[in-house]
Amino acid sequence: MARDRPGPQGRKQLNKNQIFKRDRVRNARTIRAEAVNFDDHKTPGNESKRDLSESGGMLQINDFISSREYEIKQLQLAMHKSKTAGCTRIFQALPRAMRRRTASHNVKRIPKRMRSRALREMMKNDQEITAKGKSNKGKNGLTTSQLYRAKMSVQLLRLVGKSTSMQLALPEEITASGCHLRTKIRRLRKFIKAGNRDRPQCNNKLGSYDNSAVNRLAPLPRGRIKYLKRQKFFTWLPTHIWNAKRSHMMKRWGYHLAWSPTQKCFRATHRIGGNVSTSDGVLCMDTSFYGTMLISGVGLVQAVSALTAKRALRKKYRDSKTWFEGLAYDVKDTSIILGPLELLWVDENLVLLRLHPAIYTTVFSALRNTFHDDVSIQDCRFALGSIVLKGAKSLAALSSILRSSDQCRSFEQLKSVARVADQSVFPQRTMFAFMCVDPRHLGAPRSITDPRIPTADDIINLQTNFPQEEVAHVLIKLCDPHARNESYKNQQTLKELAQRRRELLGNDPKEGLKNFIPYIADKDPAFPLLIIRRPQNDDWLVIMPWFWLMPLWFQLNRVSRVHNVGLRQVQQLRYERRSLYFPDDYPFTAIGYAENSLYKREAASAKWNRKPPSKRVNFEKIINMHRDHVPAYSGEMGDYFSCDWKLLQILRNGIKYLERNGEIKLCSPERTTQFDANGARSINVINDIFELYKDLSKHESGDTPPICLSNNYVNESSQKSAQLSITETPLQVMPISCTYLERGRSRDNARIYQIPEEHLDYWKRLDKGIFRANGKLEHKVQHPLPSVTDLIGFVTSGSYHLGEGRSVANGYIDAEAASKQSSKYVVIRNVGTNVYRLASWSHVSL
């Protein structure tokens, strides 16, 4: 093929395809304008006034906008066209969430409005088109599921033939030599079916049943036999298969959970789940791994009082049925905090309790052992499922997929406020409860057509006209195992619903086009559903029976601008609200302390060990970290891969001990370390404190947290030796949130130092800014270094805050050292560095 010859002006001539593409882009970016004669737009009686005057007259806004209406529409049209002008294939114009190379051949994976063009492009390129409505059978005529079953049967039979113990366990006729393969398979299936007769009887074709237990832990939910071996130690949530295709998964606390979507979503999470003014969608997560238990009995008040330190007995929680969010305490010792707790008084004799799975079994066992004769506990971990929604469209998304089975005031209230985007305007007790129709009755999500805009009266009616009796009736059904099991009666399959939809469309096309299968009370099931607002988290919690979660989840994710998230995004949202996330930000609890010193430490240590020596930080050779030095350590202080709370406890308690006994010295060059008659190390200088820490770190690895909250510590009056008082007295800490006042980014496990009095003026001057001669801000300044004794805390969660535009860190500092500070300034240093950043701190309430 001959090359294109240069044009008359030395430029290469373009072929027809290149000219077509250039003209298409040029036409898309062309904005047409219309010449307007302003004299034609004079209004009668005001001929002397002009829209635009050369002498700077008054601009008539209405006339000017109407005259430029054509240009504004052309600008919007050009912006819309130029967005997809460079796309040569339809798969390049797909939404961001659907851009997958593996699905670029499947027409069913793209929106319907794009399928005709996709078919033309695929036929033009002789690309294979996936047939619609046909099963993907192999060469042997079997589907994938049939092939899997056949292979598994052959493998089981081979295993039976090799294992003598399995042959003895089976009937004699199955292992007979004259038995054919099909006969063996048939008899094996009968044998398996006979062994499953003890399973609960279901009142539906989907196998849904209520899996709860009274005064004992409920058994694990039985799943499909195909995935039975994978759920031996870690239970799958109802949405596991859906999430496993779209998220990174992790195994924790006995569940297989979604950690984070495979798509990058840090900014999207901030925009949707953060400020209401920027939110235009919904973030949803399956939170069924949170354990739910129902407590009743004569000892209910005593049990709730001991578990919540009498906080949940207040009138607004017990009488007004407000959702309680607080801390769970040990029922025998209120000074021991277990973790966060959520509670709802259903009635005077029944309480609904939600707990994190890390502390669920601990609380369950403690209540049974302490109040075994006075309370009755119903384990509903696998009987009640829940979904959490956050974002401006949360109620709008729910109202587009939910329909009430009968006339209900609570559902009418939901419809009246569904279009309210600002969640902060809702009262503290905002709750909706009604009997819900199967969400699959809707062919597609459809918003409730209510032309009336919500007013302040609708918000006030949520509190003044609260339907107490209707909500209580639904809550009783939600907490009753027989009512939950009855809600599964006649639960239909997708094929049955599709058949009803086809019959409806054939008999009455007008009714069929309404996109809703009519609810028949005698035939169709209805289930109790609770929607409640959580004030502290500023989100919505939806609670329903376990096997109704999946139909609702599928319909919810068909709503536009609904995104699924994982535990990582939940932690990000808590971080951006400057609140604590369990268990990472709860080091004063046993679970939080183990999370920091065991799980996260092992992960960080393994990541560091995988790197070659030339590519990893040598923590022992970091210099210029402090203004002074003690012989007991070199390089980084404490554990490199975690927040070393044991070091902080020994250091701060040791400094307080030395302050009571006289002057503090770093080391004593005239004498070595001394020991008393019992062999315990004498504490005389700071170096002895670090030597004591090194001795304990070699032998001791207790599970008891060495720190406690400042307002939850009980002082012990027993006399102890110096070493025991330093190592066994818990250090009182307080949670804080630090905001960087200069550039830089905080990391997890960063060290927090107090500012000495002699350096305070310098850091205050740095806060106002140190400028160069040309007026620019000077960043490369030599900061004064703190002392080793100025360490007062650690950062548990540190990252970049998109809302603040700077780094923000959550952590804990010594409460006594914080009370002595004259300013709210600290300096923070990341692990493995010698760079200090100035930050201001504020107290975080639990």
Side-chain angles (χ1 to χ4, degrees):
M1 182 177 179
R3 296 183 179 178
D4 295 336
R5 296 180 180 179
Q9 299 180 358
R11 292 181 296 180
K12 181 181 177 180
Q13 293 182 351
L14 303 178
N15 55 32
K16 294 182 179 180
N17 192 22
Q18 292 173 337
I19 294 174
F20 172 74
K21 290 183 179 179
R22 186 186 63 177
D23 293 341
R24 181 177 59 182
V25 175
R26 183 178 299 172
N27 294 334
R29 296 178 179 175
T30 301
I31 304 174
R32 298 183 179 182
E34 180 184 23
V36 180
N37 185 7
F38 289 100
D39 293 337
D40 298 337
H41 293 273
K42 293 179 181 179
T43 57
N46 293 328
E47 288 80 3
S48 61
K49 295 183 180 179
R50 295 187 177 183
D51 296 326
L52 291 176
S53 175
E54 296 180 357
S55 61
M58 183 179 296
L59 175 65
Q60 301 295 329
I61 301 297
N62 297 333
D63 295 340
F64 178 76
I65 294 297
S66 61
S67 63
R68 295 300 175 186
E69 182 179 0
Y70 178 79
E71 283 80 354
I72 294 174
K73 290 183 178 180
Q74 290 297 321
L75 176 62
Q76 294 176 348
L77 184 62
M79 293 170 62
H80 178 72
K81 286 184 177 180
S82 62
K83 183 179 180 180
T84 57
C87 298
T88 59
R89 296 292 298 266
I90 190 61
F91 287 97
Q92 293 175 306
L94 289 177
R96 181 168 173 262
M98 303 183 67
R99 294 174 189 171
R100 292 181 182 174
R101 295 187 180 184
T102 56
S104 60
H105 67 282
N106 194 347
V107 181
K108 295 182 292 183
R109 300 282 305 190
I110 64 176
K112 292 183 179 179
R113 66 179 185 276
M114 301 179 177
R115 291 182 184 178
S116 58
R117 180 181 168 186
L119 289 171
R120 290 196 302 268
E121 292 177 353
M122 295 168 73
M123 294 177 64
K124 182 179 179 181
N125 296 341
D126 297 333
Q127 191 172 348
E128 183 180 356
I129 301 174
T130 303
K132 184 177 180 180
K134 296 181 180 180
S135 60
N136 189 14
K137 294 186 177 181
K139 296 181 180 179
N140 53 3
L142 298 177
T143 62
T144 55
S145 60
Q146 293 172 346
L147 184 62
Y148 173 82
R149 292 174 183 174
K151 289 183 177 181
M152 285 297 297
S153 301
V154 174
Q155 291 178 5
L156 288 173
L157 289 172
R158 290 178 179 176
L159 182 61
V160 170
K162 295 179 180 179
S163 176
T164 306
S165 60
M166 293 188 68
Q167 290 179 1
L168 296 175
L170 293 176
E172 295 180 358
E173 62 271 14
I174 291 183
T175 58
S177 59
C179 187
H180 298 287
L181 179 62
R182 293 183 179 178
T183 306
K184 292 180 181 180
I185 294 175
R186 190 183 304 112
R187 293 185 178 178
L188 276 175
R189 288 179 177 175
K190 290 182 179 179
F191 184 73
I192 294 173
K193 186 177 181 180
N196 294 334
R197 291 176 180 174
D198 57 341
R199 293 194 175 186
Q201 298 296 327
C202 299
N203 53 10
N204 55 86
K205 295 182 180 181
L206 295 178
S208 305
Y209 69 103
D210 184 71
N211 186 12
S212 60
V214 179
N215 294 333
R216 61 182 179 88
L217 293 176
L220 298 180
R222 55 182 178 90
R224 296 171 58 182
I225 299 178
K226 181 178 180 180
Y227 307 116
L228 194 60
K229 290 184 286 186
R230 307 184 197 180
Q231 304 181 53
K232 187 175 182 180
F233 302 104
F234 295 92
T235 305
W236 286 4
L237 298 182
T239 59
H240 172 81
I241 297 179
W242 191 94
N243 273 308
K245 299 177 181 180
R246 299 163 178 85
S247 305
H248 299 288
M249 309 298 289
M250 64 179 296
K251 296 179 179 180
R252 289 299 306 275
W253 309 303
Y255 293 91
H256 211 160
L257 307 175
W259 165 240
S260 178
T262 53
Q263 249 184 350
K264 294 181 179 179
C265 58
F266 186 80
R267 290 185 178 180
T269 302
H270 164 74
R271 291 168 181 166
I272 297 176
N275 191 7
V276 176
S277 62
T278 60
S279 178
D280 61 343
V282 186
L283 301 177
C284 64
M285 180 181 178
D286 182 6
T287 56
S288 300
F289 60 93
Y290 268 78
T292 305
M293 68 174 70
L294 301 172
I295 309 175
S296 60
V298 295
L300 177 62
V301 176
Q302 291 79 5
V304 173
S305 175
L307 191 60
T308 62
K310 301 181 180 180
R311 289 189 57 201
L313 297 180
R314 298 176 182 175
K315 186 176 180 180
K316 70 173 183 178
Y317 301 121
R318 190 174 180 182
D319 297 338
S320 301
K321 306 298 184 295
T322 304
W323 187 260
F324 172 78
E325 296 173 279
L327 296 176
Y329 297 84
D330 192 343
V331 294
K332 295 182 179 180
D333 187 2
T334 55
S335 63
I336 301 177
I337 299 177
L338 301 178
L341 172 143
E342 296 177 351
L343 184 144
L344 175 66
W345 285 87
V346 179
D347 55 32
E348 296 180 356
N349 300 318
L350 184 61
V351 164
L352 185 145
L353 199 66
R354 285 186 87 241
L355 294 166
H356 193 274
I359 62 174
Y360 183 87
T361 55
T362 303
V363 174
F364 187 91
S365 302
L367 291 175
R368 283 295 304 150
N369 296 333
T370 308
F371 307 96
H372 58 279
D373 295 330
D374 299 332
V375 298
S376 176
I377 306 176
Q378 183 184 160
D379 182 18
C380 298
R381 288 180 301 169
F382 310 119
L384 292 176
S386 61
I387 298 176
V388 168
L389 297 94
K390 187 174 180 63
K393 288 183 60 178
S394 298
L395 290 183
L398 287 175
S399 64
S400 63
I401 63 173
L402 300 178
R403 297 294 184 268
S404 177
S405 60
D406 52 6
Q407 190 68 21
C408 181
R409 289 172 52 196
S410 184
F411 183 69
E412 295 297 328
Q413 288 184 347
L414 173 62
K415 293 193 297 183
S416 64
V417 298
R419 296 172 60 183
V420 177
D422 190 357
Q423 300 181 11
S424 61
V425 303
F426 288 102
Q428 191 173 14
R429 185 193 62 175
T430 303
M431 184 188 309
F432 309 100
F434 51 90
M435 297 299 295
C436 184
V437 180
D438 189 347
R440 299 173 297 173
H441 279 209
L442 282 171
R446 175 178 293 181
S447 59
I448 299 175
T449 56
D450 188 1
R452 187 177 59 86
I453 299 176
T455 61
D457 294 336
D458 296 327
I459 305 296
I460 297 174
N461 286 336
L462 297 178
Q463 190 73 16
T464 57
N465 298 328
F466 182 73
Q468 184 73 36
E469 295 181 357
E470 291 184 359
V471 172
H473 178 69
V474 175
L475 287 177
I476 291 298
K477 285 190 174 183
L478 189 66
C479 300
D480 185 10
H482 300 288
R484 291 194 300 264
N485 192 68
E486 190 66 19
S487 68
Y488 300 132
K489 187 177 181 180
N490 298 330
Q491 189 178 21
Q492 300 179 3
T493 63
L494 288 174
K495 290 184 178 179
E496 293 175 343
L497 291 174
Q499 179 65 25
R500 290 182 60 181
R501 189 171 284 108
R502 285 194 297 267
E503 293 176 357
L504 186 64
L505 186 61
N507 297 334
D508 192 350
K510 293 183 179 180
E511 291 292 332
L513 294 177
K514 288 185 178 180
N515 191 29
F516 182 72
I517 300 176
Y519 172 76
I520 303 175
D522 299 335
K523 180 181 179 181
D524 296 329
F527 62 95
L529 182 132
L530 172 66
I531 304 173
I532 195 165
R533 178 177 176 266
R534 301 194 297 179
Q536 289 188 8
N537 297 299
D538 199 15
D539 55 15
W540 298 92
L541 175 65
V542 185
I543 302 178
M544 72 215 77
W546 181 272
F547 287 97
W548 281 113
L549 190 142
M550 216 34 209
L552 192 147
W553 179 266
F554 270 116
Q555 288 288 72
L556 180 63
N557 282 273
R558 295 177 64 185
V559 181
S560 62
R561 298 293 294 165
V562 172
H563 306 270
N564 67 301
V565 294
L567 292 175
R568 190 175 184 180
Q569 285 67 47
V570 175
Q571 183 178 9
Q572 176 190 346
L573 293 174
R574 300 281 294 182
Y575 160 80
E576 291 186 349
R577 289 178 57 86
R578 295 177 182 264
S579 57
L580 305 180
Y581 171 75
F582 185 82
D584 297 52
D585 296 334
Y586 284 73
F588 53 88
T589 64
I591 300 299
Y593 182 66
E595 183 77 15
N596 169 74
S597 60
L598 183 61
Y599 299 107
K600 295 180 69 175
R601 186 196 178 282
E602 288 183 357
S605 178
K607 182 179 180 180
W608 183 81
N609 289 324
R610 285 195 299 265
K611 295 181 180 180
S614 60
K615 298 295 184 181
R616 62 190 184 193
V617 179
N618 191 346
F619 295 101
E620 297 181 355
K621 294 187 178 180
I622 300 176
I623 59 175
N624 299 329
M625 291 178 54
H626 306 98
R627 64 182 178 184
D628 44 31
H629 176 71
V630 291
Y633 83 96
S634 61
E636 185 60 70
M637 296 177 60
D639 188 16
Y640 312 142
F641 308 109
S642 66
C643 300
D644 201 339
W645 302 110
K646 192 65 180 179
L647 170 65
L648 187 67
Q649 176 201 25
I650 295 175
L651 178 61
R652 301 310 305 177
N653 288 340
I655 293 175
K656 297 171 187 177
Y657 171 77
L658 294 177
E659 287 178 347
R660 292 194 300 265
N661 295 340
E663 185 180 0
I664 299 178
K665 295 182 180 180
L666 289 176
C667 59
S668 180
E670 64 273 4
R671 60 183 180 182
T672 58
T673 304
Q674 296 180 348
F675 297 87
D676 57 13
N678 297 326
R681 186 183 298 274
S682 300
I683 308 299
N684 300 315
V685 291
I686 297 296
N687 189 69
D688 295 337
I689 298 176
F690 284 96
E691 292 289 354
L692 176 62
Y693 165 76
K694 291 171 62 177
D695 295 341
L696 295 177
S697 61
K698 296 177 182 178
H699 312 289
E700 193 175 318
S701 58
D703 298 333
T704 304
I707 58 176
C708 66
L709 288 180
S710 57
N711 57 352
N712 203 60
Y713 174 65
V714 179
N715 191 11
E716 298 180 359
S717 58
S718 60
Q719 298 293 331
K720 295 181 180 180
S721 62
Q723 184 172 344
L724 291 178
S725 63
I726 292 174
T727 58
E728 295 185 3
T729 303
L731 178 67
Q732 301 184 49
V733 296
M734 59 182 298
I736 62 169
S737 177
C738 302
T739 304
Y740 271 34
L741 301 178
E742 52 179 335
R743 65 179 184 180
R745 178 181 173 185
S746 62
R747 304 282 183 177
D748 293 354
N749 310 326
R751 276 53 176 162
I752 303 176
Y753 294 82
Q754 64 182 357
I755 299 177
E757 291 295 333
E758 59 270 20
H759 299 160
L760 187 58
D761 293 336
Y762 168 81
W763 290 106
K764 287 183 178 180
R765 190 168 65 254
L766 180 66
D767 182 22
K768 298 179 181 178
I770 300 177
F771 298 90
R772 304 175 187 172
N774 58 1
K776 294 184 178 181
L777 191 63
E778 179 63 55
H779 293 288
K780 297 181 180 180
V781 183
Q782 189 67 27
H783 301 318
L785 300 177
S787 173
V788 293
T789 59
D790 292 329
L791 179 68
I792 59 173
F794 294 97
V795 171
T796 57
S797 298
S799 183
Y800 188 82
H801 198 296
L802 290 176
E804 298 287 342
R806 59 184 66 191
S807 182
V808 174
N810 295 333
Y812 289 82
I813 60 174
D814 183 9
E816 185 175 345
S819 62
K820 295 179 180 180
Q821 284 190 349
S822 60
S823 62
K824 296 287 186 178
Y825 289 112
V826 291
V827 288
I828 302 177
R829 177 183 61 83
N830 289 331
V831 181
T833 65
N834 55 8
V835 180
Y836 290 86
R837 300 295 185 185
L838 179 65
S840 63
W841 65 271
S842 60
H843 178 68
V844 176
S845 60
L846 290 172

